[in-house]
Amino acid sequence: MKRKISIALAIIILLIVSSIYLKSQIHLKKAWDRPITHCNIKDLDQCDDFYNVDLETILELAKKKTAKDLSYSMKNDIDNSKANCVGYAQYAATICNYAFKQNKINAKAKPVVGFYYLGGINLHNLLTKYLSDNKIVNFVKNHDYVEILDSTDKVIHSFDPCLYDYTWLDFSE
């Protein structure tokens, strides 16, 4: 019995360590800027969580609020709480920019288009090559996420609110 528990524990530890390693090898690479579209978010000014907080807290709150407010759809209909990755990125960027302004943080958020890489392998190209399901292919052919820029337009953070909503995994950089 002790041996089975030890083996099970070793397997669990191995899975955790390998998944942490794998996650550390996945990165977003920007392809181009998405034209910025401001979203109207009804209750944003009533959300006290966005006052007296730092940049890191704003990013966490933006991911969580975006995941709470939106559900994935192939088409953007943010007024009805449905969005694709483009809408998720626009929504989260709007939240970040609002909170930056409220907290006098000299940064700006913008949606960008990019691709996920595992090592040097473009996962989008790999998936579209081997999958025949159009919904999955359309989901991965190009992907929007959010970049946070400092006052000199240098990228200081990036995060993917859509993937965070789907998996609760955070590929922030």
Side-chain angles (χ1 to χ4, degrees):
M1 181 70 168
K2 279 186 175 182
R3 189 170 197 285
K4 287 182 181 180
I5 292 173
S6 296
I7 291 171
L9 189 58
I11 290 171
I12 290 170
I13 291 170
L14 181 65
L15 286 172
I16 291 170
V17 169
S18 61
S19 64
I20 290 170
Y21 174 75
L22 184 61
K23 184 179 177 286
S24 74
Q25 299 304 305
I26 296 175
H27 300 284
L28 276 164
K29 287 190 181 175
K30 179 179 169 180
W32 64 85
D33 289 335
R34 173 75 64 190
I36 297 173
T37 303
H38 178 78
C39 299
N40 290 323
I41 302 175
K42 300 171 199 146
D43 62 344
L44 198 52
D45 58 345
Q46 299 166 1
C47 193
D48 292 335
D49 294 343
F50 292 108
Y51 296 94
N52 300 316
V53 292
D54 63 3
L55 188 134
E56 294 292 330
T57 303
I58 290 169
L59 300 182
E60 286 302 312
L61 291 169
K63 283 184 271 194
K64 289 177 181 174
K65 180 162 180 50
T66 302
K68 180 180 151 248
D69 291 354
L70 298 179
S71 62
Y72 189 80
S73 173
M74 292 304 284
K75 296 185 188 233
N76 273 338
D77 187 5
I78 292 174
D79 292 336
N80 289 314
S81 301
K82 303 223 180 277
N84 56 23
C85 65
V86 176
Y88 270 80
Q90 291 171 341
Y91 196 85
T94 299
I95 292 170
C96 289
N97 287 327
Y98 173 83
F100 294 157
K101 184 176 179 183
Q102 298 307 313
N103 292 284
K104 296 178 177 60
I105 295 173
N106 199 1
K108 68 179 176 182
K110 69 177 187 174
V112 297
V113 180
F115 302 98
Y116 276 101
Y117 282 83
L118 176 61
I121 300 168
N122 181 326
L123 295 177
H124 298 264
N125 290 343
L126 186 68
L127 289 172
T128 53
K129 184 176 181 179
Y130 293 106
L131 294 176
S132 59
D133 185 344
N134 280 340
K135 286 184 180 180
I136 295 172
V137 169
N138 287 336
F139 180 77
V140 300
K141 72 178 173 184
N142 53 35
H143 190 70
D144 284 48
Y145 63 99
V146 179
E147 274 187 348
I148 309 298
L149 307 159
D150 67 10
S151 61
T152 63
D153 286 338
K154 178 183 172 200
V155 176
I156 54 175
H157 288 284
S158 62
F159 68 93
D160 184 347
C162 187
L163 192 62
Y164 177 81
D165 184 25
Y166 255 109
T167 64
W168 295 98
L169 292 175
D170 188 5
F171 290 97
S172 297
E173 294 182 2

